[in-house]
Amino acid sequence: MLADTWYLFNKYMKITIRMPMWTLFTLVQPLIWLIIFGQLFKNITQLPGFPTDNYMDFFVPGVLIMTVLFGSSWSGVSLLREIQSGTVDKMLVSPVSRVAIVLSRVLHSTAQVVVQVLIMLIVAWAMGAKLNLNPIYLGLSMLVVVLLGLCFAAISNGFAIALQREEPLVIIGNLMTLPLMFFSTALVPADFMPGWIKYISMINPINYSVEAVRAVLVGTPDLAVFGTALLILTGFTGAALWWAVSAFNTLRD
């Protein structure tokens, strides 16, 4: 399984390297958000109780997580197209591991979002964001990025297998981006949220991802907050991967 996953992962990476513009294209929306929202809400820091005096510092972790969402939530579209073109059927009659077919695509999507997040970090730093650039804290934030990328790429692939149609998959992809971002602390602190949104954020993996990245990249690192969020996110990711593999096994039958 590991050898097959590595082989297929390399195949997808070679395809991406031949067409790098698609990877960069998905950065357009997060960049727009970083510029526009960073200016639109910059005066919100003057409100009593806001945790930082620079909104850009507060907002950058949210933009990084948004980048992961936009990059991974559409992973299932390419799998669906391979299913419809018959490519997956050909794989199923070969000796390749069935689990590897799913894991290679999920890992490929995650590798792309890691590169995208690193680019966004450089842009945010160039725009004046004050972040903890200690390699340890950067590594911890990248761990969150990897887990979230795996989680939503797996969910997207699972829905692609279950739905077998592109239209509802696109709708679900939209539901996995903006609504989940608004039901998190990506834009405002939890104390500034209406009560009902705060309750929804407690079961939102995006919220825990934003909090984990913010805990190590902004201000004084809080490893307790990071550890709790990481543990919850790991559970979400494990469940998503299990569901995607189970859905593919159903397709095989």
Side-chain angles (χ1 to χ4, degrees), residues 43-245:
N43 292 329
I44 197 176
T45 58
Q46 299 175 10
L47 295 176
F50 201 87
T52 65
D53 58 1
N54 185 341
Y55 184 74
M56 184 67 73
D57 297 347
F58 177 86
F59 184 47
V60 166
V63 171
L64 298 183
I65 296 304
M66 184 190 307
T67 304
V68 179
L69 277 180
F70 288 139
S72 61
S73 295
W74 302 102
S75 175
V77 174
S78 58
L79 173 60
L80 181 57
R81 290 172 180 170
E82 285 197 356
I83 292 173
Q84 294 173 340
S85 66
T87 303
V88 172
D89 289 337
K90 294 177 181 178
M91 288 185 180
L92 290 176
V93 298
S94 70
V96 66
S97 166
R98 276 43 177 171
V99 177
I101 297 175
V102 177
L103 290 183
S104 60
R105 302 196 68 88
V106 171
L107 288 171
H108 166 252
S109 176
T110 303
Q112 285 183 291
V113 299
V114 167
V115 174
Q116 293 167 348
V117 165
L118 289 174
I119 294 173
M120 289 298 298
L121 268 173
I122 294 172
V123 173
W125 174 78
M127 292 180 63
K130 299 176 182 178
L131 305 173
N132 298 324
L133 299 180
N134 183 301
I136 295 177
Y137 299 135
L138 285 176
L140 292 176
S141 64
M142 286 301 106
L143 177 59
V144 175
V145 167
V146 169
L147 285 174
L148 189 67
L150 290 172
C151 179
F152 278 86
I155 292 174
S156 181
N157 279 272
F159 275 119
I161 296 166
L163 297 172
Q164 299 283 306
R165 291 183 57 194
E166 189 166 336
E167 293 83 1
L169 183 61
V170 170
I171 293 174
I172 291 176
N174 288 328
L175 291 176
M176 288 195 299
T177 52
L178 293 182
L180 289 179
M181 287 298 302
F182 287 124
F183 289 134
S184 74
T185 57
L187 299 176
V188 296
D191 291 340
F192 285 37
M193 292 180 177
W196 65 277
I197 293 182
K198 187 183 297 186
Y199 288 129
I200 294 176
S201 70
M202 295 174 64
I203 58 172
N204 182 4
I206 301 305
N207 185 65
Y208 292 105
S209 302
V210 172
E211 290 295 318
V213 172
R214 187 174 288 134
V216 293
L217 281 189
V218 179
T220 303
D222 190 336
L223 295 182
V225 172
F226 175 84
T228 301
L230 183 68
L231 184 62
I232 295 172
L233 182 58
T234 300
F236 274 109
T237 302
L241 287 170
W242 175 84
W243 179 65
V245 172

